[in-house]
Amino acid sequence: MKWLKNLPGRLYAAYALLLFICMMLIMLLPMWLVSLLPAPLDIKYFTTLGRVWVHIYLPLIFCPVRVKGRQYFKSEGPYIIVCNHNSFVDIPATFYAIPDASKSLAKKEMVKTPIFGIMYRVGSVLVDRNDPESRKQSFVDMKEVLQQGVHMLLYPEGTRNKTDDPLKFFYDGAFSLAVETKKPILPTVIFNTRKILPVGKGFYAKPHKIDVHFLPPVEVDGLSMEELKEQVFNTMWDYIKLWQ
């Protein structure tokens, strides 16, 4: 009986969702107050609140996070953090692991989402992917984020990787941004988040430890956009294959 076999996973998913909603409601007021601050104070305090949230939430749902390579954040200047994308759990995992303020790229329509809209407005650079002007503006906004000393977190695969390969094809955006701003890329690999939310299982989850590994930074000098993209892709692909 399939429904009985999946029952523990559905009960766990309900527990994780209910706890997430409760904690989100608790954090809503301080996050709204932080959103009123001028940049870059808004994102710096916002990410601090976010880290507090996930440092409590992830252990409570029995998904401890282990981090390697955090020492790379001791160097000067912000990074363009390039990360693989396997699950929605990647978002709280990166909040947990990144020790400094960071923004990510998000779809503009997410601002209309009740409650979440505030979080996306502060914590993300927003883009309408169907609007060329919006895409151009998002590039300008990401450069401004880096100029403020805040990291940009980007998922170059574009969407979650549901294939059996370690990575999907990389889009150009993160690497064009790196070449233009001369900011180094910090390749980042997340393991095991797909095991928490298996592909194709619907309302189902199971607890599992999460590993976030920051790899050595890749400097941009002397590399074209295509060369940079290929180097980062190969570095992450080989690392995932090594650890799987």
Side-chain angles (χ1 to χ4, degrees):
M1 292 188 295
K2 189 175 181 180
W3 69 269
L4 187 59
K5 180 180 178 181
N6 290 334
L7 183 60
R10 299 195 190 285
L11 291 174
Y12 169 74
Y15 161 73
L17 178 61
L18 180 61
L19 183 61
F20 179 84
I21 292 172
C22 291
M23 293 192 68
M24 180 178 63
L25 292 175
I26 292 170
M27 298 297 291
L28 183 60
L29 178 59
M31 284 186 167
W32 175 75
L33 292 173
V34 161
S35 72
L36 303 178
L37 296 172
L41 288 178
D42 56 349
I43 187 59
K44 290 183 178 180
Y45 283 108
F46 176 85
T47 48
T48 298
L49 288 172
R51 281 197 298 274
V52 171
W53 178 355
V54 296
H55 272 74
I56 297 171
Y57 176 70
L58 290 174
L60 285 177
I61 63 169
F62 313 107
C63 294
V65 181
R66 302 182 300 190
V67 182
K68 290 185 64 175
R70 200 175 264 158
Q71 69 272 15
Y72 296 122
F73 287 91
K74 294 179 181 179
S75 62
E76 295 183 5
Y79 287 124
I80 298 169
I81 303 170
V82 168
C83 188
N84 63 322
H85 195 14
N86 290 319
S87 163
F88 289 123
V89 185
D90 296 336
I91 298 171
T94 52
F95 251 113
Y96 186 104
I98 298 172
D100 304 323
S102 66
K103 280 195 173 189
S104 58
L105 189 66
K107 293 183 290 186
K108 195 170 186 177
E109 54 265 34
M110 297 303 296
V111 172
K112 299 177 183 178
T113 307
I115 300 178
F116 277 110
I118 294 174
M119 302 178 188
Y120 277 101
R121 192 179 299 112
V122 180
S124 307
V125 171
L126 301 169
V127 61
D128 180 351
R129 293 176 179 174
N130 297 319
D131 182 352
E133 290 302 317
S134 179
R135 293 200 300 270
K136 290 179 183 178
Q137 184 58 47
S138 69
F139 198 83
V140 173
D141 293 341
M142 287 191 290
K143 289 196 292 184
E144 184 177 345
V145 169
L146 293 168
Q147 289 169 359
Q148 292 170 348
V150 176
H151 305 295
M152 272 304 311
L153 169 64
L154 297 171
Y155 298 96
E157 296 167 288
T159 58
R160 286 171 292 153
N161 181 9
K162 299 180 181 180
T163 73
D164 294 329
D165 292 329
L167 295 170
K168 287 169 55 182
F169 171 83
F170 278 4
Y171 289 96
D172 294 344
F175 310 99
S176 295
L177 181 65
V179 168
E180 184 158 335
T181 61
K182 304 301 181 185
K183 300 298 183 184
I185 284 183
L186 188 69
T188 302
V189 177
I190 302 178
F191 295 98
N192 301 322
T193 53
R194 192 187 296 188
K195 295 177 181 177
I196 299 170
L197 293 177
V199 174
K201 293 285 282 188
F203 190 73
Y204 178 94
K206 58 182 180 180
H208 201 286
K209 67 180 183 298
I210 302 168
D211 288 279
V212 181
H213 294 185
F214 299 110
L215 310 186
V218 178
E219 297 293 339
V220 179
D221 291 343
L223 296 177
S224 68
M225 186 272 292
E226 286 294 336
E227 290 170 335
L228 180 62
K229 181 171 68 170
E230 181 178 4
Q231 180 175 335
V232 173
F233 182 91
N234 290 337
T235 297
M236 293 173 65
W237 178 287
D238 292 343
Y239 192 87
I240 294 170
K241 293 288 285 185
L242 178 66
W243 279 81
Q244 278 184 335

